[in-house]
Amino acid sequence: APWRLPMAASAGRMARASVYVLPAEGEPYPMAVVEGMSVGLPVVVCDDCGLAPMVAETGSGLVARGNPVALADAVTSLLADLNGYGGRAREAAAAGFSMAAAGGRLPAVY
């Protein structure tokens, strides 16, 4: 498809966005949210997303009810005041989802 980006270009394109929104409900572990956070994007996820507690706890974005109005309100709120969200998103991604963080948890898993 002509609109599809090569995988190598996706992080750069994502970094030019202002907010990453995942409107899907019930996503247990959406890697796209982590990828957005890793480039400093604040995120908006539904309240039943598996990463919703981490997003709320770290202040890396907003958690919304799973309906279009609530999602739009959360995006509007973030766009009105992006102060700090992106930096917190990048820090949360590095602390919880980087290779170093994952590697540090492996001994306990095994």
Side-chain angles (χ1 to χ4, degrees), residues 37 43 45 51-64 85 88 92:
M37 290 171 59
V43 297
V45 297
L51 296 178
M54 181 273 304
V55 169
E57 180 181 307
T58 61
S60 55
L62 296 177
V63 177
Y85 283 103
R88 289 190 299 270

Side-chain angles (χ1 to χ4, degrees), residues 46-81:
C46 293
D47 57 357
D48 63 354
C49 173
L51 296 178
M54 181 273 304
V55 169
E57 180 181 307
T58 61
S60 55
L62 296 177
V63 177
R65 303 282 296 164
N67 66 67
V69 172
L71 288 167
D73 288 347
V75 171
T76 300
S77 292
L78 279 179
L79 291 175
D81 181 19

